Amino acid sequence: MASPELAGGDGSYDFHLRSLSAASRDSAAAADPASDPNLLQSVRRVCQMCQGAKEARDEMLARAFPVMSKLFQRCAAAPTQAVASTGVLLLTILQFFLDFGEAVLHDADGSLKTIFRSCLSREFADPIVAERTLDFLIANKTKILSSFPTLIPQFYPLLLKLIASNGERLEKKFSEVLPLMMSAGSFLPLFLSLMDLPMLVVALEKVERSSGTLIGSSIATIQKSAAPEMLLALMDEAYTGSAIEDPSGNSGSDDSSPLDLADPMFLDLLKDENDGIAAKHWISPTISSTLQAAVNSPQSDRLKQSLEMAPRFLSLYFSTALRDVNDSLLCALIPVVMSRYAAMFPDKVFSFEVRKRLSDFILASFQRSPDIIAVLKKPITDRLGEAHDNPAKTELALHLCWAIGEHGAGGIHRKDVARELFENLELLLYENLATSRLGLSQEPGFDSMGASSQKSSQARLICFVVTAIAKLATCHSELLPRARVSLAKVARSRTSDRRVWQRACDYLGLMNEPAICLSVLGPSTAQGNGPGIVDWSGGGTKMVAHVPFYLLAEQKGPPFHDFSFADLLPSE
């Protein structure tokens, strides 16, 4: 006797399977296979019946799989002019493949890549397809991670275009998928892509203005169509010496100009798959005109949302990296982070939020593994040498100076690294002392407000350098004589900022009390033990009398601070 699920009737398994089989064979519907609204319902019903079947499940799967496979191939091969979206239908069939792949001996890897390349590349801007795609990835993330671990890292650029087009509405779901995009091959390119999310929005909007709606047309196809012309132009230049004409003319800064599809920057931003290359397109001449046009024109809603989402995505990326990534990948990432500290979308709020997260990540990485400072000695010294290029690089140099001193240049065993970093700090100190004595107001027409701000920034930098020198010499005692010379020069200099002078004098005084100096200025990661040395980590169990008050020598009257010991000592 036939199972009720297989029996005849409008809601039966046979009925829905016949509908799907007819659709997969109908040549008239080949141009738009998803135009029948009942097709999706039939696929869902077949999946539900196979899931709930007990006795006749193997038979049902054996009959359904060939039909589903043929329908999937027809929908994937549908022309770009198709009116109805095939995305939701393909995702539903793909769920059938994942659920019953083992039973029907089907490897879903090819089907997963097909749906990204043939469907999502054309329909990433469709809000329904975008949401269903994220729902699909979230629901199947365990199976995808175990069976297809390279899938999401390979297609993360396509998912970034998805969130760039749909905005904050899908931010929560995208945040659940973001950690799945991180792998050894996508770790560095993903960081750069998250940094450039606002630029991706600008590029997508330029494509939209040049070619119409983003839905239904593959940007990758548009890009490839310009390749033969560019190749011929390069060959012509090589053999005849003629220059390649600029297709954008002299209107590169005009936001309404047509998109230069052969420009490497846009090709990298609009790619669908990860190529494993950390592109450095911020040196591209096109970037200046594009950014200038974006700044001078009113921001679209999508751009505003991307400027708010990108810092939050970076926070999630960094927290995942600090939790799951080994030191080798961190050592590869930190120089890239430092290189982008002053190169980002020129929006004040966005720049502030992103730089805060970049500096927090760098310092957290050094706190987790102080040895990274020794490994990255060359990139760190390069950034210290760029401290005066612009305010952003000055701020980065401040953080690096603090990290060098706080962690003793990587530890007490890193003598050679500590000496080299100490020499760079000395050089930075003497350069700033020389320029501070010369003064900034001697230049004609110099803005007094700008001079005041620059002198304040320079004094702040000198304070950080002086502190780093004192802390580095405290950790590595062989550097103490040179540190005393450096600090004495600061104390004798006629700098106009009293804070710098006072800090140098305080450190010189502390160095006369080695135990107290080690307690105050010693590295937090490797604290020594001995008479007079304070173990601050155990401060919560000590009485106030155990704190050496001779630190406050020559201090009379009420306390000169506004904090309590409860603020300083860790609580249990």
Side-chain angles (χ1 to χ4, degrees), residues 332-363:
L333 175 62
I334 291 175
V336 180
V337 171
M338 292 191 292
S339 69
R340 292 301 302 268
Y341 202 87
M344 61 186 68
F345 194 86
D347 180 86
K348 290 184 178 180
V349 176
F350 172 78
S351 299
F352 172 80
E353 294 292 338
V354 170
R355 287 191 183 115
K356 182 178 184 302
R357 286 158 174 81
L358 297 184
S359 59
D360 288 348
F361 167 72
I362 293 174
L363 297 179

PDB file of all heavy atoms in Angstrom, residues 332-363:
ATOM      1  N   ALA A 332      52.144  39.458  11.147  1.00  0.00           N
ATOM      2  CA  ALA A 332      51.901  39.868   9.761  1.00  0.00           C
ATOM      3  C   ALA A 332      50.876  40.993   9.682  1.00  0.00           C
ATOM      4  O   ALA A 332      50.949  41.853   8.797  1.00  0.00           O
ATOM      5  CB  ALA A 332      51.439  38.668   8.943  1.00  0.00           C
ATOM      6  N   LEU A 333      49.923  40.996  10.618  1.00  0.00           N
ATOM      7  CA  LEU A 333      48.838  41.984  10.566  1.00  0.00           C
ATOM      8  C   LEU A 333      49.264  43.346  11.099  1.00  0.00           C
ATOM      9  O   LEU A 333      48.877  44.380  10.536  1.00  0.00           O
ATOM     10  CB  LEU A 333      47.635  41.463  11.355  1.00  0.00           C
ATOM     11  CG  LEU A 333      46.446  42.428  11.500  1.00  0.00           C
ATOM     12  CD1 LEU A 333      45.863  42.762  10.129  1.00  0.00           C
ATOM     13  CD2 LEU A 333      45.373  41.820  12.390  1.00  0.00           C
ATOM     14  N   ILE A 334      50.029  43.391  12.176  1.00  0.00           N
ATOM     15  CA  ILE A 334      50.315  44.663  12.844  1.00  0.00           C
ATOM     16  C   ILE A 334      51.008  45.672  11.921  1.00  0.00           C
ATOM     17  O   ILE A 334      50.632  46.850  11.907  1.00  0.00           O
ATOM     18  CB  ILE A 334      51.130  44.410  14.132  1.00  0.00           C
ATOM     19  CG1 ILE A 334      50.242  43.716  15.165  1.00  0.00           C
ATOM     20  CG2 ILE A 334      51.668  45.720  14.706  1.00  0.00           C
ATOM     21  CD1 ILE A 334      50.951  43.318  16.430  1.00  0.00           C
ATOM     22  N   PRO A 335      52.019  45.288  11.112  1.00  0.00           N
ATOM     23  CA  PRO A 335      52.577  46.282  10.173  1.00  0.00           C
ATOM     24  C   PRO A 335      51.548  46.826   9.190  1.00  0.00           C
ATOM     25  O   PRO A 335      51.603  48.009   8.826  1.00  0.00           O
ATOM     26  CB  PRO A 335      53.679  45.495   9.455  1.00  0.00           C
ATOM     27  CG  PRO A 335      54.057  44.408  10.391  1.00  0.00           C
ATOM     28  CD  PRO A 335      52.791  44.021  11.074  1.00  0.00           C
ATOM     29  N   VAL A 336      50.623  45.981   8.755  1.00  0.00           N
ATOM     30  CA  VAL A 336      49.566  46.448   7.851  1.00  0.00           C
ATOM     31  C   VAL A 336      48.647  47.429   8.579  1.00  0.00           C
ATOM     32  O   VAL A 336      48.238  48.463   8.024  1.00  0.00           O
ATOM     33  CB  VAL A 336      48.758  45.255   7.301  1.00  0.00           C
ATOM     34  CG1 VAL A 336      47.667  45.735   6.360  1.00  0.00           C
ATOM     35  CG2 VAL A 336      49.669  44.274   6.590  1.00  0.00           C
ATOM     36  N   VAL A 337      48.336  47.144   9.830  1.00  0.00           N
ATOM     37  CA  VAL A 337      47.514  48.050  10.627  1.00  0.00           C
ATOM     38  C   VAL A 337      48.211  49.401  10.783  1.00  0.00           C
ATOM     39  O   VAL A 337      47.595  50.463  10.615  1.00  0.00           O
ATOM     40  CB  VAL A 337      47.218  47.434  12.014  1.00  0.00           C
ATOM     41  CG1 VAL A 337      46.548  48.451  12.926  1.00  0.00           C
ATOM     42  CG2 VAL A 337      46.333  46.203  11.870  1.00  0.00           C
ATOM     43  N   MET A 338      49.514  49.375  11.068  1.00  0.00           N
ATOM     44  CA  MET A 338      50.257  50.630  11.226  1.00  0.00           C
ATOM     45  C   MET A 338      50.300  51.414   9.915  1.00  0.00           C
ATOM     46  O   MET A 338      50.236  52.645   9.916  1.00  0.00           O
ATOM     47  CB  MET A 338      51.659  50.340  11.740  1.00  0.00           C
ATOM     48  CG  MET A 338      51.692  49.811  13.163  1.00  0.00           C
ATOM     49  SD  MET A 338      53.347  49.769  13.905  1.00  0.00           S
ATOM     50  CE  MET A 338      54.122  48.492  12.911  1.00  0.00           C
ATOM     51  N   SER A 339      50.399  50.697   8.786  1.00  0.00           N
ATOM     52  CA  SER A 339      50.459  51.388   7.497  1.00  0.00           C
ATOM     53  C   SER A 339      49.143  52.072   7.146  1.00  0.00           C
ATOM     54  O   SER A 339      49.135  53.037   6.376  1.00  0.00           O
ATOM     55  CB  SER A 339      50.845  50.405   6.392  1.00  0.00           C
ATOM     56  OG  SER A 339      49.787  49.475   6.149  1.00  0.00           O
ATOM     57  N   ARG A 340      48.035  51.582   7.703  1.00  0.00           N
ATOM     58  CA  ARG A 340      46.729  52.172   7.400  1.00  0.00           C
ATOM     59  C   ARG A 340      46.254  53.137   8.488  1.00  0.00           C
ATOM     60  O   ARG A 340      45.137  53.626   8.428  1.00  0.00           O
ATOM     61  CB  ARG A 340      45.697  51.054   7.225  1.00  0.00           C
ATOM     62  CG  ARG A 340      45.897  50.185   5.996  1.00  0.00           C
ATOM     63  CD  ARG A 340      45.861  50.986   4.702  1.00  0.00           C
ATOM     64  NE  ARG A 340      44.636  51.696   4.542  1.00  0.00           N
ATOM     65  CZ  ARG A 340      43.568  51.211   3.898  1.00  0.00           C
ATOM     66  NH1 ARG A 340      43.631  50.009   3.363  1.00  0.00           N
ATOM     67  NH2 ARG A 340      42.477  51.921   3.802  1.00  0.00           N
ATOM     68  N   TYR A 341      47.089  53.409   9.481  1.00  0.00           N
ATOM     69  CA  TYR A 341      46.687  54.292  10.579  1.00  0.00           C
ATOM     70  C   TYR A 341      46.371  55.706  10.076  1.00  0.00           C
ATOM     71  O   TYR A 341      45.491  56.376  10.608  1.00  0.00           O
ATOM     72  CB  TYR A 341      47.796  54.343  11.634  1.00  0.00           C
ATOM     73  CG  TYR A 341      47.322  54.760  12.999  1.00  0.00           C
ATOM     74  CD1 TYR A 341      46.842  53.820  13.894  1.00  0.00           C
ATOM     75  CD2 TYR A 341      47.355  56.089  13.409  1.00  0.00           C
ATOM     76  CE1 TYR A 341      46.402  54.186  15.157  1.00  0.00           C
ATOM     77  CE2 TYR A 341      46.920  56.471  14.662  1.00  0.00           C
ATOM     78  CZ  TYR A 341      46.448  55.512  15.533  1.00  0.00           C
ATOM     79  OH  TYR A 341      45.997  55.882  16.784  1.00  0.00           O
ATOM     80  N   ALA A 342      47.076  56.146   9.054  1.00  0.00           N
ATOM     81  CA  ALA A 342      46.856  57.490   8.515  1.00  0.00           C
ATOM     82  C   ALA A 342      46.240  57.449   7.121  1.00  0.00           C
ATOM     83  O   ALA A 342      46.150  58.491   6.467  1.00  0.00           O
ATOM     84  CB  ALA A 342      48.174  58.259   8.482  1.00  0.00           C
ATOM     85  N   ALA A 343      45.824  56.272   6.654  1.00  0.00           N
ATOM     86  CA  ALA A 343      45.258  56.129   5.309  1.00  0.00           C
ATOM     87  C   ALA A 343      43.892  55.475   5.418  1.00  0.00           C
ATOM     88  O   ALA A 343      43.777  54.254   5.522  1.00  0.00           O
ATOM     89  CB  ALA A 343      46.176  55.296   4.423  1.00  0.00           C
ATOM     90  N   MET A 344      42.860  56.296   5.416  1.00  0.00           N
ATOM     91  CA  MET A 344      41.489  55.792   5.516  1.00  0.00           C
ATOM     92  C   MET A 344      40.531  56.831   4.971  1.00  0.00           C
ATOM     93  O   MET A 344      40.950  57.943   4.600  1.00  0.00           O
ATOM     94  CB  MET A 344      41.146  55.443   6.966  1.00  0.00           C
ATOM     95  CG  MET A 344      41.222  56.602   7.940  1.00  0.00           C
ATOM     96  SD  MET A 344      40.987  56.087   9.655  1.00  0.00           S
ATOM     97  CE  MET A 344      42.467  55.145   9.961  1.00  0.00           C
ATOM     98  N   PHE A 345      39.269  56.489   4.923  1.00  0.00           N
ATOM     99  CA  PHE A 345      38.257  57.397   4.380  1.00  0.00           C
ATOM    100  C   PHE A 345      38.251  58.686   5.196  1.00  0.00           C
ATOM    101  O   PHE A 345      38.175  58.645   6.429  1.00  0.00           O
ATOM    102  CB  PHE A 345      36.890  56.733   4.424  1.00  0.00           C
ATOM    103  CG  PHE A 345      35.848  57.442   3.597  1.00  0.00           C
ATOM    104  CD1 PHE A 345      35.708  57.159   2.253  1.00  0.00           C
ATOM    105  CD2 PHE A 345      35.028  58.406   4.158  1.00  0.00           C
ATOM    106  CE1 PHE A 345      34.751  57.810   1.486  1.00  0.00           C
ATOM    107  CE2 PHE A 345      34.079  59.064   3.405  1.00  0.00           C
ATOM    108  CZ  PHE A 345      33.942  58.766   2.056  1.00  0.00           C
ATOM    109  N   PRO A 346      38.328  59.857   4.542  1.00  0.00           N
ATOM    110  CA  PRO A 346      38.502  61.131   5.263  1.00  0.00           C
ATOM    111  C   PRO A 346      37.221  61.672   5.890  1.00  0.00           C
ATOM    112  O   PRO A 346      36.746  62.754   5.538  1.00  0.00           O
ATOM    113  CB  PRO A 346      39.033  62.061   4.174  1.00  0.00           C
ATOM    114  CG  PRO A 346      38.429  61.542   2.909  1.00  0.00           C
ATOM    115  CD  PRO A 346      38.374  60.042   3.070  1.00  0.00           C
ATOM    116  N   ASP A 347      36.678  60.938   6.830  1.00  0.00           N
ATOM    117  CA  ASP A 347      35.552  61.422   7.624  1.00  0.00           C
ATOM    118  C   ASP A 347      36.020  61.503   9.077  1.00  0.00           C
ATOM    119  O   ASP A 347      36.584  60.546   9.617  1.00  0.00           O
ATOM    120  CB  ASP A 347      34.364  60.467   7.500  1.00  0.00           C
ATOM    121  CG  ASP A 347      33.162  60.927   8.304  1.00  0.00           C
ATOM    122  OD1 ASP A 347      32.375  61.728   7.783  1.00  0.00           O
ATOM    123  OD2 ASP A 347      33.014  60.484   9.471  1.00  0.00           O
ATOM    124  N   LYS A 348      35.802  62.637   9.749  1.00  0.00           N
ATOM    125  CA  LYS A 348      36.398  62.870  11.068  1.00  0.00           C
ATOM    126  C   LYS A 348      35.935  61.851  12.103  1.00  0.00           C
ATOM    127  O   LYS A 348      36.747  61.265  12.820  1.00  0.00           O
ATOM    128  CB  LYS A 348      36.075  64.288  11.540  1.00  0.00           C
ATOM    129  CG  LYS A 348      36.805  65.373  10.763  1.00  0.00           C
ATOM    130  CD  LYS A 348      36.519  66.757  11.339  1.00  0.00           C
ATOM    131  CE  LYS A 348      37.291  67.835  10.577  1.00  0.00           C
ATOM    132  NZ  LYS A 348      37.027  69.178  11.120  1.00  0.00           N
ATOM    133  N   VAL A 349      34.643  61.629  12.176  1.00  0.00           N
ATOM    134  CA  VAL A 349      34.125  60.692  13.179  1.00  0.00           C
ATOM    135  C   VAL A 349      34.591  59.275  12.855  1.00  0.00           C
ATOM    136  O   VAL A 349      35.026  58.526  13.739  1.00  0.00           O
ATOM    137  CB  VAL A 349      32.588  60.763  13.242  1.00  0.00           C
ATOM    138  CG1 VAL A 349      32.037  59.733  14.214  1.00  0.00           C
ATOM    139  CG2 VAL A 349      32.142  62.166  13.644  1.00  0.00           C
ATOM    140  N   PHE A 350      34.516  58.906  11.584  1.00  0.00           N
ATOM    141  CA  PHE A 350      34.964  57.579  11.166  1.00  0.00           C
ATOM    142  C   PHE A 350      36.443  57.384  11.477  1.00  0.00           C
ATOM    143  O   PHE A 350      36.851  56.341  12.019  1.00  0.00           O
ATOM    144  CB  PHE A 350      34.700  57.409   9.670  1.00  0.00           C
ATOM    145  CG  PHE A 350      35.282  56.163   9.065  1.00  0.00           C
ATOM    146  CD1 PHE A 350      34.670  54.937   9.236  1.00  0.00           C
ATOM    147  CD2 PHE A 350      36.466  56.216   8.327  1.00  0.00           C
ATOM    148  CE1 PHE A 350      35.205  53.785   8.678  1.00  0.00           C
ATOM    149  CE2 PHE A 350      37.010  55.073   7.768  1.00  0.00           C
ATOM    150  CZ  PHE A 350      36.370  53.861   7.947  1.00  0.00           C
ATOM    151  N   SER A 351      37.273  58.374  11.160  1.00  0.00           N
ATOM    152  CA  SER A 351      38.710  58.269  11.406  1.00  0.00           C
ATOM    153  C   SER A 351      38.997  58.123  12.892  1.00  0.00           C
ATOM    154  O   SER A 351      39.846  57.317  13.298  1.00  0.00           O
ATOM    155  CB  SER A 351      39.435  59.496  10.843  1.00  0.00           C
ATOM    156  OG  SER A 351      39.247  59.606   9.449  1.00  0.00           O
ATOM    157  N   PHE A 352      38.300  58.897  13.717  1.00  0.00           N
ATOM    158  CA  PHE A 352      38.517  58.804  15.161  1.00  0.00           C
ATOM    159  C   PHE A 352      38.162  57.420  15.684  1.00  0.00           C
ATOM    160  O   PHE A 352      38.932  56.812  16.449  1.00  0.00           O
ATOM    161  CB  PHE A 352      37.681  59.872  15.878  1.00  0.00           C
ATOM    162  CG  PHE A 352      37.697  59.740  17.377  1.00  0.00           C
ATOM    163  CD1 PHE A 352      38.767  60.218  18.112  1.00  0.00           C
ATOM    164  CD2 PHE A 352      36.651  59.128  18.046  1.00  0.00           C
ATOM    165  CE1 PHE A 352      38.788  60.089  19.499  1.00  0.00           C
ATOM    166  CE2 PHE A 352      36.655  58.988  19.427  1.00  0.00           C
ATOM    167  CZ  PHE A 352      37.742  59.470  20.150  1.00  0.00           C
ATOM    168  N   GLU A 353      37.014  56.900  15.279  1.00  0.00           N
ATOM    169  CA  GLU A 353      36.566  55.593  15.770  1.00  0.00           C
ATOM    170  C   GLU A 353      37.489  54.472  15.293  1.00  0.00           C
ATOM    171  O   GLU A 353      37.815  53.553  16.052  1.00  0.00           O
ATOM    172  CB  GLU A 353      35.128  55.323  15.300  1.00  0.00           C
ATOM    173  CG  GLU A 353      34.081  56.259  15.892  1.00  0.00           C
ATOM    174  CD  GLU A 353      33.891  56.033  17.385  1.00  0.00           C
ATOM    175  OE1 GLU A 353      34.222  54.934  17.872  1.00  0.00           O
ATOM    176  OE2 GLU A 353      33.414  56.953  18.063  1.00  0.00           O
ATOM    177  N   VAL A 354      37.919  54.551  14.049  1.00  0.00           N
ATOM    178  CA  VAL A 354      38.774  53.490  13.506  1.00  0.00           C
ATOM    179  C   VAL A 354      40.152  53.540  14.144  1.00  0.00           C
ATOM    180  O   VAL A 354      40.703  52.497  14.540  1.00  0.00           O
ATOM    181  CB  VAL A 354      38.876  53.616  11.971  1.00  0.00           C
ATOM    182  CG1 VAL A 354      39.955  52.691  11.421  1.00  0.00           C
ATOM    183  CG2 VAL A 354      37.541  53.270  11.331  1.00  0.00           C
ATOM    184  N   ARG A 355      40.740  54.727  14.277  1.00  0.00           N
ATOM    185  CA  ARG A 355      42.074  54.824  14.876  1.00  0.00           C
ATOM    186  C   ARG A 355      42.065  54.358  16.323  1.00  0.00           C
ATOM    187  O   ARG A 355      43.047  53.762  16.792  1.00  0.00           O
ATOM    188  CB  ARG A 355      42.587  56.256  14.781  1.00  0.00           C
ATOM    189  CG  ARG A 355      42.990  56.650  13.376  1.00  0.00           C
ATOM    190  CD  ARG A 355      43.737  57.959  13.317  1.00  0.00           C
ATOM    191  NE  ARG A 355      44.021  58.305  11.936  1.00  0.00           N
ATOM    192  CZ  ARG A 355      43.509  59.361  11.307  1.00  0.00           C
ATOM    193  NH1 ARG A 355      42.729  60.200  11.963  1.00  0.00           N
ATOM    194  NH2 ARG A 355      43.795  59.583  10.043  1.00  0.00           N
ATOM    195  N   LYS A 356      40.999  54.614  17.029  1.00  0.00           N
ATOM    196  CA  LYS A 356      40.910  54.131  18.410  1.00  0.00           C
ATOM    197  C   LYS A 356      40.969  52.609  18.442  1.00  0.00           C
ATOM    198  O   LYS A 356      41.656  52.008  19.279  1.00  0.00           O
ATOM    199  CB  LYS A 356      39.615  54.626  19.061  1.00  0.00           C
ATOM    200  CG  LYS A 356      39.450  54.213  20.513  1.00  0.00           C
ATOM    201  CD  LYS A 356      38.171  54.777  21.098  1.00  0.00           C
ATOM    202  CE  LYS A 356      38.068  54.450  22.585  1.00  0.00           C
ATOM    203  NZ  LYS A 356      38.117  53.006  22.867  1.00  0.00           N
ATOM    204  N   ARG A 357      40.274  51.964  17.517  1.00  0.00           N
ATOM    205  CA  ARG A 357      40.268  50.500  17.481  1.00  0.00           C
ATOM    206  C   ARG A 357      41.616  49.952  16.997  1.00  0.00           C
ATOM    207  O   ARG A 357      42.066  48.908  17.481  1.00  0.00           O
ATOM    208  CB  ARG A 357      39.127  50.017  16.589  1.00  0.00           C
ATOM    209  CG  ARG A 357      37.762  50.187  17.263  1.00  0.00           C
ATOM    210  CD  ARG A 357      36.627  50.219  16.270  1.00  0.00           C
ATOM    211  NE  ARG A 357      35.332  50.232  16.939  1.00  0.00           N
ATOM    212  CZ  ARG A 357      34.763  51.318  17.441  1.00  0.00           C
ATOM    213  NH1 ARG A 357      35.390  52.491  17.347  1.00  0.00           N
ATOM    214  NH2 ARG A 357      33.588  51.258  18.022  1.00  0.00           N
ATOM    215  N   LEU A 358      42.257  50.644  16.070  1.00  0.00           N
ATOM    216  CA  LEU A 358      43.565  50.192  15.603  1.00  0.00           C
ATOM    217  C   LEU A 358      44.596  50.257  16.729  1.00  0.00           C
ATOM    218  O   LEU A 358      45.365  49.310  16.936  1.00  0.00           O
ATOM    219  CB  LEU A 358      44.028  51.046  14.415  1.00  0.00           C
ATOM    220  CG  LEU A 358      43.178  51.009  13.142  1.00  0.00           C
ATOM    221  CD1 LEU A 358      43.850  51.830  12.043  1.00  0.00           C
ATOM    222  CD2 LEU A 358      42.945  49.592  12.662  1.00  0.00           C
ATOM    223  N   SER A 359      44.613  51.367  17.449  1.00  0.00           N
ATOM    224  CA  SER A 359      45.588  51.502  18.542  1.00  0.00           C
ATOM    225  C   SER A 359      45.291  50.523  19.669  1.00  0.00           C
ATOM    226  O   SER A 359      46.216  49.929  20.249  1.00  0.00           O
ATOM    227  CB  SER A 359      45.597  52.938  19.067  1.00  0.00           C
ATOM    228  OG  SER A 359      44.315  53.329  19.537  1.00  0.00           O
ATOM    229  N   ASP A 360      44.027  50.328  19.986  1.00  0.00           N
ATOM    230  CA  ASP A 360      43.675  49.357  21.031  1.00  0.00           C
ATOM    231  C   ASP A 360      44.127  47.955  20.647  1.00  0.00           C
ATOM    232  O   ASP A 360      44.608  47.189  21.495  1.00  0.00           O
ATOM    233  CB  ASP A 360      42.166  49.368  21.273  1.00  0.00           C
ATOM    234  CG  ASP A 360      41.691  50.622  21.997  1.00  0.00           C
ATOM    235  OD1 ASP A 360      42.556  51.368  22.503  1.00  0.00           O
ATOM    236  OD2 ASP A 360      40.471  50.860  22.047  1.00  0.00           O
ATOM    237  N   PHE A 361      43.979  47.607  19.371  1.00  0.00           N
ATOM    238  CA  PHE A 361      44.397  46.277  18.924  1.00  0.00           C
ATOM    239  C   PHE A 361      45.911  46.126  19.009  1.00  0.00           C
ATOM    240  O   PHE A 361      46.420  45.086  19.464  1.00  0.00           O
ATOM    241  CB  PHE A 361      43.922  46.025  17.499  1.00  0.00           C
ATOM    242  CG  PHE A 361      44.567  44.840  16.855  1.00  0.00           C
ATOM    243  CD1 PHE A 361      44.246  43.556  17.252  1.00  0.00           C
ATOM    244  CD2 PHE A 361      45.527  45.001  15.857  1.00  0.00           C
ATOM    245  CE1 PHE A 361      44.860  42.450  16.678  1.00  0.00           C
ATOM    246  CE2 PHE A 361      46.135  43.909  15.278  1.00  0.00           C
ATOM    247  CZ  PHE A 361      45.801  42.627  15.682  1.00  0.00           C
ATOM    248  N   ILE A 362      46.654  47.127  18.556  1.00  0.00           N
ATOM    249  CA  ILE A 362      48.113  47.044  18.600  1.00  0.00           C
ATOM    250  C   ILE A 362      48.591  46.859  20.035  1.00  0.00           C
ATOM    251  O   ILE A 362      49.425  45.986  20.334  1.00  0.00           O
ATOM    252  CB  ILE A 362      48.736  48.304  17.973  1.00  0.00           C
ATOM    253  CG1 ILE A 362      48.445  48.350  16.467  1.00  0.00           C
ATOM    254  CG2 ILE A 362      50.239  48.339  18.211  1.00  0.00           C
ATOM    255  CD1 ILE A 362      48.897  49.640  15.798  1.00  0.00           C
ATOM    256  N   LEU A 363      48.051  47.654  20.952  1.00  0.00           N
ATOM    257  CA  LEU A 363      48.478  47.573  22.350  1.00  0.00           C
ATOM    258  C   LEU A 363      48.043  46.245  22.974  1.00  0.00           C
ATOM    259  O   LEU A 363      48.784  45.655  23.767  1.00  0.00           O
ATOM    260  CB  LEU A 363      47.906  48.748  23.135  1.00  0.00           C
ATOM    261  CG  LEU A 363      48.392  50.130  22.685  1.00  0.00           C
ATOM    262  CD1 LEU A 363      47.742  51.232  23.521  1.00  0.00           C
ATOM    263  CD2 LEU A 363      49.908  50.230  22.772  1.00  0.00           C
TER     264      LEU A 363
END
